[in-house]
């Protein structure tokens, strides 16, 4: 069974979108970023980096955002020149990790999910690791994957817990 998808729940095309890391060196710059977020000119990608912030900017909004940042003498760097291309590159990399198609619209047995994720971890040992947090009531290994993205760490736990059913 596939995941529930609402009719308007279409994938977003991030072609041409950029991610920028902006140094928040003044209150005025923090207010400028806050205003751009509130007016939906930019989206915040990561605000947990201390005195800097990662933002997502559409191709349409990029010239204005760049002008605002330059006008405020902000220090910033481009992390991604084309988020859509980066997403596609990562998608192809994931598909190469384990032959065959793997997506989130289909059901895959636990052993195939573990195999796919283990292959992904083995291809990127500098960015990911796998460890066990115990076994399920059926004796299956309960694995956790930790992925390191820039300064942010993400944990992925595949549970697949189903209730035991018994007829009376």
């Amino acid at each position: 069974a596939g995941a529930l998808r609402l009719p308007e729940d279409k994938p977003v095309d991030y072609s041409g979108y950029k991610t920028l890391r902006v140094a928040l060196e003044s209150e005025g710059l923090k207010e400028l970023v806050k205003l751009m977020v509130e007016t939906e000119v930019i989206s915040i990608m990561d605000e947990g980096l201390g005195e800097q912030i990662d933002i997502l900017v559409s191709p349409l909004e990029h010239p204005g955002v760049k002008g605002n940042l330059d006008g405020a003498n902000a220090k910033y760097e481009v992390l991604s020149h084309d988020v859509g291309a980066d997403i596609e590159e990562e998608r192809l990399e994931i598909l190469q990790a384990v032959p065959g198609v793997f997506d989130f619209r289909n059901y895959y047995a636990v052993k195939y999910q573990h195999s796919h994720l283990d292959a992904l971890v083995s291809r990127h040992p500098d960015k990911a690791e796998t460890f066990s947090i115990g076994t399920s009531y059926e004796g299956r290994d309960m694995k956790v994957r930790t992925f390191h993205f820039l300064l942010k760490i993400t944990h992925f736990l595949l549970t697949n817990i189903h209730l035991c059913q018994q007829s009376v």
Side-chain angles (χ1 to χ4, degrees):
L4 174 65
R5 279 185 84 104
L6 301 174
E8 67 275 359
D9 188 19
K10 296 178 184 170
V12 176
D13 180 9
Y14 288 104
S15 298
Y17 278 68
K18 297 183 185 318
T19 52
L20 308 175
R21 178 163 291 159
V22 181
L24 300 174
E25 296 179 333
S26 69
E27 288 303 314
L29 190 52
K30 290 176 184 177
E31 289 301 316
L32 174 63
V33 169
K34 183 178 175 184
L35 177 63
M36 289 192 290
V37 169
E38 288 171 354
T39 56
E40 298 182 358
V41 171
I42 63 170
S43 296
I44 295 176
M45 298 298 294
D46 189 350
E47 56 185 316
L49 299 173
E51 291 300 310
Q52 54 190 8
I53 190 167
D54 294 349
I55 60 173
L56 177 69
V57 184
S58 74
L60 181 66
E61 299 288 354
H62 182 260
V65 170
K66 184 178 182 321
N68 285 336
L69 293 174
D70 290 342
N73 294 320
K75 293 179 185 170
Y76 62 92
E77 64 178 310
V78 179
L79 299 177
S80 172
H81 291 280
D82 188 342
V83 173
D86 292 345
I87 290 170
E88 181 62 14
E89 181 181 328
E90 188 172 304
R91 185 186 73 80
L92 293 175
E93 209 171 271
I94 288 171
L95 291 176
Q96 289 174 356
V98 174
V101 176
F102 190 90
D103 60 40
F104 294 99
R105 291 184 289 272
N106 295 297
Y107 172 81
Y108 298 93
V110 173
K111 66 180 179 181
Y112 297 117
Q113 293 177 35
H114 281 302
S115 174
H116 182 79
L117 291 168
D118 288 341
L120 184 62
V121 169
S122 70
R123 285 177 54 95
H124 302 283
D126 58 321
K127 297 178 185 172
E129 62 183 307
T130 300
F131 58 92
S132 176
I133 59 170
T135 56
S136 71
Y137 73 93
E138 293 179 332
R140 287 190 280 200
D141 204 15
M142 293 173 45
K143 295 183 177 182
V144 174
R145 275 73 175 195
T146 302
F147 299 95
H148 308 271
F149 299 104
L150 294 174
L151 299 177
K152 191 173 192 176
I153 297 175
T154 303
H155 299 286
F156 178 77
L157 173 63
L158 179 64
T159 57
N160 283 340
I161 297 174
H162 295 273
L163 181 65
C164 290
Q165 297 177 352
Q166 184 177 7
S167 25
V168 179

